[in-house]
Amino acid sequence: MAKLCFGVDLGGTTVKMGLFTVQGSLLEDWEIPTRKEEKGAYILDDIAQSVNDKIKENVINPADVAGIGIGVPGPVTPSGVVKGCVNIGWGDTPVEEILKDKTGFEVKAGNDANVAALGELWQGGGKGYSSLVMVTLGTGVGGGIVLDGKIVTGTHGAAGEIGHMLMVYDETASCNCGRKGCLEQVASATGIVKEAKRFLEADDTPSSLRGISNFTAKDVFDEAKKGDALALKTVERLGEYLGRALGHIACVIDPDIFIIGGGVSKAGDFLIDVIGKHYVEMTYPQCRKTPVRLATLGNSAGIYGAAKLVLD
């Protein structure tokens, strides 16, 4: 019986890695640089080398290793082919096959947001449930869907692209995906700042944000918590968009729980309360009691989920 496994979270700057027991205890975590030279040609070599070095360092019997799970910033087919990762230079890449050849271990790959959702279900904010939808609010808006303990990837590897739900029908600016009006444009950290600036330009309402040059999403939440009217209006609008999005999702998936993660989630219960209020107003009556909670694993969700990926 295998006793250990590796979880890998491939990011644009660093590769986070973890050594786990098969029960889900993190024994050790570390990072290596993501070498993007020559269209990311060295990345899988570096990951394989780091795994092999850790096995030697800890005198691990390879027979005790169940395998390696890896989350990547792009869509992944059920056969383990990554369908391009723009920010690291990859085109279509058979990650599972390549990494297995380099290490000798079984490998399972998944989209990083989906994998993070699996991590939260296994050992994080969704522990004890069988299905969840996770929404990550950061520079963009990502998502992951896990039903009956299994990641939902979709035919094109695009399931969970919550940030690209059409949400603002009169939006004139373009999203990074090329369309206009995506949730990401108003619910990401940059989107929150953009919405606040729109409110500032619309009228002369007094606001402490006017005195902060280059304010951030964190500043918007900080000032809202102090009672600033315009900041509160921005947060309410954010809650409305997210509440509506979760309401739409609930009507299709009806998960056990919604988990909110990413850098914006550091606003804590203040954010959860406003999302939850609008969610209850906008969802199907039978889904109103579905809890909306914060993620708990932080930046480690990806390595936890990757480890669980290979165990499954």
Side-chain angles (χ1 to χ4, degrees):
M1 291 289 289
K3 301 176 182 177
L4 305 169
C5 60
F6 289 90
V8 180
D9 183 13
L10 172 55
T13 304
T14 62
V15 182
K16 299 180 179 66
M17 305 180 70
L19 175 62
F20 293 83
T21 68
V22 294
Q23 290 78 28
S25 295
L26 176 61
L27 302 176
E28 186 178 355
D29 62 337
W30 67 100
E31 296 182 359
I32 61 174
T34 302
R35 291 202 289 160
K36 292 182 282 189
E37 301 87 8
E38 297 184 35
K39 296 184 177 180
Y42 307 113
I43 292 172
L44 293 177
D45 285 330
D46 291 346
I47 291 171
Q49 184 64 55
S50 188
V51 166
N52 291 329
D53 288 347
K54 195 60 62 175
I55 287 172
K56 292 177 183 177
E57 178 186 324
N58 290 284
V59 195
I60 296 170
N61 182 348
D64 288 335
V65 178
I68 304 166
I70 178 170
V72 300
V76 182
T77 69
S79 62
V81 176
V82 177
K83 302 300 288 182
C85 293
V86 176
N87 65 341
I88 59 175
W90 284 357
D92 287 6
T93 306
V95 168
E96 292 182 6
E97 179 183 333
I98 294 172
L99 200 52
K100 181 177 180 180
D101 287 344
K102 293 180 181 298
T103 63
F105 297 120
E106 291 298 319
V107 177
K108 187 66 178 175
N111 169 265
D112 55 359
N114 289 333
V115 167
L118 183 62
E120 287 289 341
L121 184 75
W122 188 33
Q123 297 293 339
K127 189 172 183 178
Y129 295 97
S130 63
S131 66
L132 65 72
V133 172
M134 182 174 177
V135 182
T136 54
L137 308 174
T139 305
V141 174
I145 302 168
V146 185
L147 297 180
D148 295 326
K150 302 295 182 183
I151 289 175
V152 178
T153 57
T155 301
H156 306 98
E161 289 289 353
I162 292 163
H164 297 290
M165 295 174 64
L166 182 58
M167 196 57 55
V168 189
Y169 297 109
D170 59 352
E171 179 61 68
T172 57
S174 295
C175 177
N176 290 331
C177 75
R179 299 189 308 153
K180 297 177 180 179
C182 292
L183 179 65
E184 180 170 297
Q185 291 181 265
V186 290
S188 63
T190 50
I192 292 166
V193 170
K194 183 184 70 176
E195 287 295 293
K197 287 181 177 178
R198 283 181 175 178
F199 285 139
L200 285 168
E201 293 168 0
D203 58 47
D204 296 326
T205 301
S207 173
S208 52
L209 291 174
R210 297 185 189 278
I212 305 174
S213 60
N214 299 317
F215 62 82
T216 65
K218 180 180 182 300
D219 293 324
V220 173
F221 276 99
D222 286 346
E223 298 310 309
K225 290 175 182 178
K226 296 174 186 176
D228 183 88
L230 192 140
L232 280 167
K233 184 177 180 181
T234 304
V235 172
E236 281 292 326
R237 178 64 59 86
L238 170 68
E240 181 181 339
Y241 285 132
L242 287 170
R244 182 181 298 136
L246 298 190
H248 291 336
I249 293 166
C251 288
V252 178
I253 296 172
D254 191 17
D256 291 329
I257 188 170
F258 288 102
I259 297 292
I260 309 297
V264 174
S265 71
K266 291 179 181 178
D269 290 337
F270 187 77
L271 170 64
I272 296 299
D273 290 345
V274 73
I275 296 173
K277 178 182 72 174
H278 288 286
Y279 169 73
V280 168
E281 293 170 353
M282 297 184 181
T283 197
Y284 187 58
Q286 275 68 22
C287 301
R288 287 175 183 164
K289 293 184 179 180
T290 303
V292 180
R293 295 180 185 163
L294 291 166
T296 62
L297 295 178
N299 291 333
S300 295
I303 58 173
Y304 273 91
K308 180 58 173 171
L309 198 65
V310 74
L311 295 178
D312 289 341

mmCIF file of all heavy atoms in Angstrom, residues 73-112:
data_model
loop_
_atom_site.group_PDB
_atom_site.id
_atom_site.type_symbol
_atom_site.label_atom_id
_atom_site.label_comp_id
_atom_site.label_asym_id
_atom_site.label_seq_id
_atom_site.Cartn_x
_atom_site.Cartn_y
_atom_site.Cartn_z
ATOM 1 N N PRO A 73 -1.997 26.059 -15.078
ATOM 2 C CA PRO A 73 -2.835 27.229 -15.398
ATOM 3 C C PRO A 73 -3.379 27.195 -16.820
ATOM 4 O O PRO A 73 -3.058 28.038 -17.662
ATOM 5 C CB PRO A 73 -1.869 28.397 -15.184
ATOM 6 C CG PRO A 73 -0.533 27.826 -15.521
ATOM 7 C CD PRO A 73 -0.561 26.410 -15.049
ATOM 8 N N GLY A 74 -4.212 26.199 -17.101
ATOM 9 C CA GLY A 74 -4.811 26.064 -18.416
ATOM 10 C C GLY A 74 -5.763 24.893 -18.433
ATOM 11 O O GLY A 74 -5.804 24.093 -17.485
ATOM 12 N N PRO A 75 -6.561 24.750 -19.487
ATOM 13 C CA PRO A 75 -7.486 23.621 -19.579
ATOM 14 C C PRO A 75 -6.745 22.306 -19.787
ATOM 15 O O PRO A 75 -5.714 22.265 -20.458
ATOM 16 C CB PRO A 75 -8.361 23.972 -20.794
ATOM 17 C CG PRO A 75 -7.552 24.922 -21.594
ATOM 18 C CD PRO A 75 -6.681 25.675 -20.631
ATOM 19 N N VAL A 76 -7.287 21.233 -19.203
ATOM 20 C CA VAL A 76 -6.672 19.907 -19.285
ATOM 21 C C VAL A 76 -7.734 18.909 -19.729
ATOM 22 O O VAL A 76 -8.828 18.860 -19.162
ATOM 23 C CB VAL A 76 -6.092 19.472 -17.921
ATOM 24 C CG1 VAL A 76 -5.406 18.108 -18.039
ATOM 25 C CG2 VAL A 76 -5.100 20.512 -17.396
ATOM 26 N N THR A 77 -7.418 18.100 -20.709
ATOM 27 C CA THR A 77 -8.358 17.089 -21.186
ATOM 28 C C THR A 77 -8.359 15.895 -20.228
ATOM 29 O O THR A 77 -7.423 15.718 -19.438
ATOM 30 C CB THR A 77 -7.979 16.586 -22.584
ATOM 31 O OG1 THR A 77 -6.762 15.823 -22.495
ATOM 32 C CG2 THR A 77 -7.790 17.742 -23.560
ATOM 33 N N PRO A 78 -9.387 15.054 -20.293
ATOM 34 C CA PRO A 78 -9.422 13.863 -19.431
ATOM 35 C C PRO A 78 -8.226 12.932 -19.619
ATOM 36 O O PRO A 78 -7.879 12.167 -18.716
ATOM 37 C CB PRO A 78 -10.731 13.175 -19.847
ATOM 38 C CG PRO A 78 -11.598 14.291 -20.329
ATOM 39 C CD PRO A 78 -10.659 15.234 -21.028
ATOM 40 N N SER A 79 -7.570 13.007 -20.780
ATOM 41 C CA SER A 79 -6.404 12.157 -21.028
ATOM 42 C C SER A 79 -5.106 12.766 -20.535
ATOM 43 O O SER A 79 -4.024 12.194 -20.724
ATOM 44 C CB SER A 79 -6.286 11.853 -22.525
ATOM 45 O OG SER A 79 -6.090 13.047 -23.271
ATOM 46 N N GLY A 80 -5.192 13.946 -19.894
ATOM 47 C CA GLY A 80 -4.007 14.549 -19.296
ATOM 48 C C GLY A 80 -3.203 15.437 -20.209
ATOM 49 O O GLY A 80 -2.037 15.741 -19.929
ATOM 50 N N VAL A 81 -3.810 15.875 -21.308
ATOM 51 C CA VAL A 81 -3.130 16.801 -22.216
ATOM 52 C C VAL A 81 -3.531 18.227 -21.857
ATOM 53 O O VAL A 81 -4.719 18.551 -21.782
ATOM 54 C CB VAL A 81 -3.496 16.526 -23.686
ATOM 55 C CG1 VAL A 81 -2.857 17.561 -24.615
ATOM 56 C CG2 VAL A 81 -3.063 15.118 -24.080
ATOM 57 N N VAL A 82 -2.542 19.063 -21.601
ATOM 58 C CA VAL A 82 -2.800 20.468 -21.301
ATOM 59 C C VAL A 82 -2.999 21.202 -22.625
ATOM 60 O O VAL A 82 -2.131 21.164 -23.505
ATOM 61 C CB VAL A 82 -1.615 21.084 -20.526
ATOM 62 C CG1 VAL A 82 -1.862 22.561 -20.276
ATOM 63 C CG2 VAL A 82 -1.408 20.354 -19.215
ATOM 64 N N LYS A 83 -4.145 21.850 -22.748
ATOM 65 C CA LYS A 83 -4.482 22.519 -24.006
ATOM 66 C C LYS A 83 -3.987 23.971 -24.007
ATOM 67 O O LYS A 83 -4.743 24.913 -24.211
ATOM 68 C CB LYS A 83 -5.996 22.480 -24.234
ATOM 69 C CG LYS A 83 -6.593 21.093 -24.267
ATOM 70 C CD LYS A 83 -6.001 20.245 -25.385
ATOM 71 C CE LYS A 83 -6.477 20.694 -26.742
ATOM 72 N NZ LYS A 83 -5.934 19.831 -27.840
ATOM 73 N N GLY A 84 -2.690 24.102 -23.759
ATOM 74 C CA GLY A 84 -2.081 25.417 -23.814
ATOM 75 C C GLY A 84 -2.071 26.148 -22.483
ATOM 76 O O GLY A 84 -3.070 26.161 -21.771
ATOM 77 N N CYS A 85 -0.943 26.706 -22.128
ATOM 78 C CA CYS A 85 -0.785 27.573 -20.947
ATOM 79 C C CYS A 85 -0.048 28.813 -21.416
ATOM 80 O O CYS A 85 1.189 28.817 -21.497
ATOM 81 C CB CYS A 85 0.004 26.869 -19.842
ATOM 82 S SG CYS A 85 -0.815 25.455 -19.098
ATOM 83 N N VAL A 86 -0.793 29.842 -21.729
ATOM 84 C CA VAL A 86 -0.217 31.025 -22.365
ATOM 85 C C VAL A 86 0.861 31.668 -21.511
ATOM 86 O O VAL A 86 1.925 32.067 -22.014
ATOM 87 C CB VAL A 86 -1.325 32.056 -22.680
ATOM 88 C CG1 VAL A 86 -0.717 33.333 -23.252
ATOM 89 C CG2 VAL A 86 -2.331 31.459 -23.646
ATOM 90 N N ASN A 87 0.626 31.752 -20.196
ATOM 91 C CA ASN A 87 1.562 32.507 -19.350
ATOM 92 C C ASN A 87 2.861 31.770 -19.065
ATOM 93 O O ASN A 87 3.775 32.342 -18.468
ATOM 94 C CB ASN A 87 0.888 32.944 -18.048
ATOM 95 C CG ASN A 87 0.495 31.775 -17.161
ATOM 96 O OD1 ASN A 87 0.388 30.648 -17.630
ATOM 97 N ND2 ASN A 87 0.270 32.040 -15.888
ATOM 98 N N ILE A 88 2.966 30.503 -19.468
ATOM 99 C CA ILE A 88 4.267 29.819 -19.322
ATOM 100 C C ILE A 88 4.807 29.341 -20.667
ATOM 101 O O ILE A 88 5.865 28.707 -20.719
ATOM 102 C CB ILE A 88 4.198 28.632 -18.336
ATOM 103 C CG1 ILE A 88 3.161 27.597 -18.782
ATOM 104 C CG2 ILE A 88 3.919 29.116 -16.928
ATOM 105 C CD1 ILE A 88 3.146 26.353 -17.897
ATOM 106 N N GLY A 89 4.088 29.638 -21.746
ATOM 107 C CA GLY A 89 4.615 29.354 -23.071
ATOM 108 C C GLY A 89 4.255 28.015 -23.674
ATOM 109 O O GLY A 89 4.709 27.681 -24.777
ATOM 110 N N TRP A 90 3.437 27.231 -22.986
ATOM 111 C CA TRP A 90 3.101 25.900 -23.512
ATOM 112 C C TRP A 90 1.993 25.949 -24.553
ATOM 113 O O TRP A 90 1.023 26.696 -24.422
ATOM 114 C CB TRP A 90 2.624 24.990 -22.384
ATOM 115 C CG TRP A 90 3.712 24.473 -21.499
ATOM 116 C CD1 TRP A 90 5.050 24.677 -21.620
ATOM 117 C CD2 TRP A 90 3.540 23.649 -20.338
ATOM 118 N NE1 TRP A 90 5.730 24.044 -20.606
ATOM 119 C CE2 TRP A 90 4.826 23.403 -19.806
ATOM 120 C CE3 TRP A 90 2.426 23.113 -19.697
ATOM 121 C CZ2 TRP A 90 5.024 22.630 -18.662
ATOM 122 C CZ3 TRP A 90 2.621 22.342 -18.567
ATOM 123 C CH2 TRP A 90 3.907 22.108 -18.054
ATOM 124 N N GLY A 91 2.126 25.099 -25.565
ATOM 125 C CA GLY A 91 1.011 24.751 -26.429
ATOM 126 C C GLY A 91 0.418 23.454 -25.894
ATOM 127 O O GLY A 91 0.517 23.160 -24.688
ATOM 128 N N ASP A 92 -0.182 22.652 -26.751
ATOM 129 C CA ASP A 92 -0.706 21.362 -26.312
ATOM 130 C C ASP A 92 0.442 20.502 -25.788
ATOM 131 O O ASP A 92 1.429 20.260 -26.503
ATOM 132 C CB ASP A 92 -1.397 20.636 -27.469
ATOM 133 C CG ASP A 92 -2.732 21.258 -27.841
ATOM 134 O OD1 ASP A 92 -3.064 22.320 -27.274
ATOM 135 O OD2 ASP A 92 -3.431 20.693 -28.697
ATOM 136 N N THR A 93 0.311 20.055 -24.526
ATOM 137 C CA THR A 93 1.408 19.345 -23.863
ATOM 138 C C THR A 93 0.868 18.142 -23.096
ATOM 139 O O THR A 93 0.052 18.309 -22.187
ATOM 140 C CB THR A 93 2.142 20.285 -22.872
ATOM 141 O OG1 THR A 93 2.549 21.470 -23.558
ATOM 142 C CG2 THR A 93 3.364 19.596 -22.280
ATOM 143 N N PRO A 94 1.319 16.924 -23.425
ATOM 144 C CA PRO A 94 0.869 15.729 -22.697
ATOM 145 C C PRO A 94 1.591 15.605 -21.349
ATOM 146 O O PRO A 94 2.492 14.772 -21.180
ATOM 147 C CB PRO A 94 1.228 14.586 -23.648
ATOM 148 C CG PRO A 94 2.406 15.090 -24.418
ATOM 149 C CD PRO A 94 2.204 16.590 -24.556
ATOM 150 N N VAL A 95 1.195 16.424 -20.416
ATOM 151 C CA VAL A 95 1.906 16.547 -19.142
ATOM 152 C C VAL A 95 1.995 15.217 -18.402
ATOM 153 O O VAL A 95 3.060 14.842 -17.887
ATOM 154 C CB VAL A 95 1.234 17.615 -18.248
ATOM 155 C CG1 VAL A 95 1.767 17.538 -16.825
ATOM 156 C CG2 VAL A 95 1.479 18.997 -18.807
ATOM 157 N N GLU A 96 0.892 14.496 -18.314
ATOM 158 C CA GLU A 96 0.902 13.237 -17.564
ATOM 159 C C GLU A 96 1.921 12.260 -18.156
ATOM 160 O O GLU A 96 2.710 11.649 -17.414
ATOM 161 C CB GLU A 96 -0.498 12.610 -17.566
ATOM 162 C CG GLU A 96 -1.510 13.403 -16.763
ATOM 163 C CD GLU A 96 -2.881 12.758 -16.736
ATOM 164 O OE1 GLU A 96 -3.030 11.628 -17.253
ATOM 165 O OE2 GLU A 96 -3.810 13.378 -16.193
ATOM 166 N N GLU A 97 1.917 12.118 -19.451
ATOM 167 C CA GLU A 97 2.828 11.179 -20.118
ATOM 168 C C GLU A 97 4.282 11.584 -19.927
ATOM 169 O O GLU A 97 5.140 10.761 -19.587
ATOM 170 C CB GLU A 97 2.481 11.121 -21.603
ATOM 171 C CG GLU A 97 3.365 10.202 -22.424
ATOM 172 C CD GLU A 97 3.015 10.255 -23.903
ATOM 173 O OE1 GLU A 97 1.847 10.549 -24.227
ATOM 174 O OE2 GLU A 97 3.921 10.018 -24.724
ATOM 175 N N ILE A 98 4.565 12.874 -20.107
ATOM 176 C CA ILE A 98 5.946 13.351 -20.014
ATOM 177 C C ILE A 98 6.493 13.193 -18.592
ATOM 178 O O ILE A 98 7.598 12.685 -18.379
ATOM 179 C CB ILE A 98 6.046 14.822 -20.465
ATOM 180 C CG1 ILE A 98 5.731 14.945 -21.952
ATOM 181 C CG2 ILE A 98 7.438 15.386 -20.160
ATOM 182 C CD1 ILE A 98 5.608 16.379 -22.441
ATOM 183 N N LEU A 99 5.696 13.641 -17.608
ATOM 184 C CA LEU A 99 6.179 13.598 -16.228
ATOM 185 C C LEU A 99 6.291 12.158 -15.728
ATOM 186 O O LEU A 99 7.194 11.842 -14.940
ATOM 187 C CB LEU A 99 5.249 14.423 -15.329
ATOM 188 C CG LEU A 99 5.803 14.885 -13.986
ATOM 189 C CD1 LEU A 99 7.133 15.610 -14.145
ATOM 190 C CD2 LEU A 99 4.796 15.802 -13.293
ATOM 191 N N LYS A 100 5.425 11.281 -16.195
ATOM 192 C CA LYS A 100 5.539 9.865 -15.828
ATOM 193 C C LYS A 100 6.822 9.271 -16.393
ATOM 194 O O LYS A 100 7.533 8.518 -15.708
ATOM 195 C CB LYS A 100 4.332 9.087 -16.349
ATOM 196 C CG LYS A 100 4.374 7.607 -15.979
ATOM 197 C CD LYS A 100 3.135 6.869 -16.455
ATOM 198 C CE LYS A 100 3.203 5.385 -16.065
ATOM 199 N NZ LYS A 100 1.993 4.647 -16.513
ATOM 200 N N ASP A 101 7.152 9.627 -17.634
ATOM 201 C CA ASP A 101 8.390 9.127 -18.247
ATOM 202 C C ASP A 101 9.618 9.612 -17.489
ATOM 203 O O ASP A 101 10.611 8.886 -17.376
ATOM 204 C CB ASP A 101 8.480 9.590 -19.707
ATOM 205 C CG ASP A 101 7.523 8.845 -20.624
ATOM 206 O OD1 ASP A 101 7.017 7.779 -20.212
ATOM 207 O OD2 ASP A 101 7.276 9.332 -21.744
ATOM 208 N N LYS A 102 9.542 10.835 -16.945
ATOM 209 C CA LYS A 102 10.702 11.422 -16.291
ATOM 210 C C LYS A 102 10.885 10.957 -14.839
ATOM 211 O O LYS A 102 11.970 11.063 -14.279
ATOM 212 C CB LYS A 102 10.614 12.954 -16.318
ATOM 213 C CG LYS A 102 10.736 13.544 -17.722
ATOM 214 C CD LYS A 102 10.655 15.049 -17.708
ATOM 215 C CE LYS A 102 10.765 15.634 -19.111
ATOM 216 N NZ LYS A 102 12.062 15.333 -19.758
ATOM 217 N N THR A 103 9.794 10.474 -14.220
ATOM 218 C CA THR A 103 9.877 10.096 -12.803
ATOM 219 C C THR A 103 9.606 8.615 -12.540
ATOM 220 O O THR A 103 10.037 8.084 -11.516
ATOM 221 C CB THR A 103 8.862 10.899 -11.967
ATOM 222 O OG1 THR A 103 7.526 10.574 -12.407
ATOM 223 C CG2 THR A 103 9.101 12.396 -12.105
ATOM 224 N N GLY A 104 8.869 7.979 -13.429
ATOM 225 C CA GLY A 104 8.474 6.587 -13.203
ATOM 226 C C GLY A 104 7.211 6.455 -12.364
ATOM 227 O O GLY A 104 6.743 5.337 -12.112
ATOM 228 N N PHE A 105 6.638 7.579 -11.938
ATOM 229 C CA PHE A 105 5.429 7.542 -11.102
ATOM 230 C C PHE A 105 4.184 7.836 -11.924
ATOM 231 O O PHE A 105 4.236 8.509 -12.955
ATOM 232 C CB PHE A 105 5.534 8.564 -9.967
ATOM 233 C CG PHE A 105 6.644 8.303 -8.997
ATOM 234 C CD1 PHE A 105 7.648 9.237 -8.804
ATOM 235 C CD2 PHE A 105 6.696 7.112 -8.281
ATOM 236 C CE1 PHE A 105 8.676 9.005 -7.910
ATOM 237 C CE2 PHE A 105 7.725 6.863 -7.386
ATOM 238 C CZ PHE A 105 8.716 7.806 -7.196
ATOM 239 N N GLU A 106 3.052 7.351 -11.430
ATOM 240 C CA GLU A 106 1.780 7.722 -12.022
ATOM 241 C C GLU A 106 1.575 9.233 -11.844
ATOM 242 O O GLU A 106 1.926 9.797 -10.804
ATOM 243 C CB GLU A 106 0.628 6.974 -11.362
ATOM 244 C CG GLU A 106 0.622 5.482 -11.674
ATOM 245 C CD GLU A 106 0.451 5.214 -13.156
ATOM 246 O OE1 GLU A 106 -0.357 5.910 -13.809
ATOM 247 O OE2 GLU A 106 1.150 4.314 -13.671
ATOM 248 N N VAL A 107 0.995 9.862 -12.847
ATOM 249 C CA VAL A 107 0.793 11.314 -12.820
ATOM 250 C C VAL A 107 -0.643 11.622 -13.234
ATOM 251 O O VAL A 107 -1.182 11.007 -14.161
ATOM 252 C CB VAL A 107 1.770 12.036 -13.780
ATOM 253 C CG1 VAL A 107 1.503 13.543 -13.795
ATOM 254 C CG2 VAL A 107 3.215 11.750 -13.378
ATOM 255 N N LYS A 108 -1.242 12.578 -12.525
ATOM 256 C CA LYS A 108 -2.576 13.056 -12.891
ATOM 257 C C LYS A 108 -2.539 14.574 -12.919
ATOM 258 O O LYS A 108 -2.082 15.211 -11.963
ATOM 259 C CB LYS A 108 -3.626 12.565 -11.891
ATOM 260 C CG LYS A 108 -5.052 12.891 -12.299
ATOM 261 C CD LYS A 108 -5.470 12.152 -13.555
ATOM 262 C CE LYS A 108 -6.927 12.470 -13.908
ATOM 263 N NZ LYS A 108 -7.309 11.842 -15.200
ATOM 264 N N ALA A 109 -3.017 15.171 -14.021
ATOM 265 C CA ALA A 109 -2.999 16.625 -14.186
ATOM 266 C C ALA A 109 -4.413 17.181 -14.213
ATOM 267 O O ALA A 109 -5.367 16.513 -14.634
ATOM 268 C CB ALA A 109 -2.270 17.002 -15.471
ATOM 269 N N GLY A 110 -4.541 18.430 -13.766
ATOM 270 C CA GLY A 110 -5.827 19.114 -13.804
ATOM 271 C C GLY A 110 -5.628 20.608 -13.859
ATOM 272 O O GLY A 110 -4.540 21.123 -13.566
ATOM 273 N N ASN A 111 -6.666 21.316 -14.249
ATOM 274 C CA ASN A 111 -6.618 22.778 -14.232
ATOM 275 C C ASN A 111 -6.420 23.277 -12.810
ATOM 276 O O ASN A 111 -7.002 22.741 -11.864
ATOM 277 C CB ASN A 111 -7.921 23.334 -14.806
ATOM 278 C CG ASN A 111 -8.074 24.817 -14.585
ATOM 279 O OD1 ASN A 111 -8.701 25.233 -13.610
ATOM 280 N ND2 ASN A 111 -7.488 25.611 -15.451
ATOM 281 N N ASP A 112 -5.596 24.304 -12.636
ATOM 282 C CA ASP A 112 -5.208 24.731 -11.289
ATOM 283 C C ASP A 112 -6.389 25.180 -10.433
ATOM 284 O O ASP A 112 -6.445 24.873 -9.234
ATOM 285 C CB ASP A 112 -4.128 25.816 -11.334
ATOM 286 C CG ASP A 112 -4.499 27.034 -12.182
ATOM 287 O OD1 ASP A 112 -5.603 27.053 -12.769
ATOM 288 O OD2 ASP A 112 -3.672 27.954 -12.265
#
